[in-house]
């Protein structure tokens, strides 16, 4: 099992939810409001007067075989919406209950 953490501009919420649906990944935890700043470029997402946009973040626990197709779908979306900002990270899950 893997944990996939996805952080994205709130403007991409419907697209990210659609990707999870297309990949048949039902379970996830979502933080509707997260702040952040990209490591390469793009504007900060702080929810302030100067930087009004905000991020959302999702954590999904998925089977190992689901990781590559999920990341590829997210990558394709990010390529056409690169100014919005999206990142995904994958961790190993040692145990679950």
């Amino acid at each position: 099992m893997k944990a996939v953490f996805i952080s994205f501009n709130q403007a991409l919420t419907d697209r990210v939810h659609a990707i999870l649906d297309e990949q048949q990944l039902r379970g996830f935890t979502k933080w509707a409001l997260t702040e952040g700043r990209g490591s390469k470029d793009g504007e900060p997402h702080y929810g302030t007067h100067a930087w009004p946009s905000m991020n959302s973040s999702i954590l999904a626990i998925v089977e190992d075989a689901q990781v590559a197709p999920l990341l590829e779908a997210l990558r394709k979306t990010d390529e056409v919406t690169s100014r919005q900002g999206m990142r995904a990270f994958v961790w190993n899950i040692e145990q679950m209950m």
Side-chain angles (χ1 to χ4, degrees):
M1 300 293 283
K2 303 289 185 187
V4 181
F5 181 81
I6 310 162
S7 184
F8 53 93
N9 186 312
Q10 283 183 327
L12 299 174
T13 298
D14 290 343
R15 290 182 187 192
V16 172
H17 286 184
I19 289 169
L20 293 172
D21 289 344
E22 291 163 6
Q23 300 287 321
Q24 299 178 341
L25 298 172
R26 186 178 182 286
F28 61 84
T29 298
K30 179 179 176 183
W31 294 268
L33 298 175
T34 55
E35 297 179 15
R37 176 175 71 185
S39 57
K40 296 179 184 175
D41 57 13
E43 297 180 351
H45 298 172
Y46 294 153
T48 65
H49 177 71
W51 305 106
S53 62
M54 285 293 290
N55 288 332
S56 290
S57 298
I58 287 178
L59 180 66
I61 309 302
V62 304
E63 298 290 339
D64 290 12
Q66 294 173 301
V67 173
L70 174 58
L71 292 181
E72 182 59 25
L74 294 170
R75 188 175 289 112
K76 286 179 181 178
T77 297
D78 187 49
E79 286 174 359
V80 298
T81 61
S82 61
R83 297 286 300 155
Q84 300 299 318
M86 178 188 303
R87 294 290 182 265
F89 306 92
V90 180
W91 294 287
N92 289 322
I93 296 299
E94 301 295 328
Q95 296 182 21
M96 283 181 30
M97 62 168 260

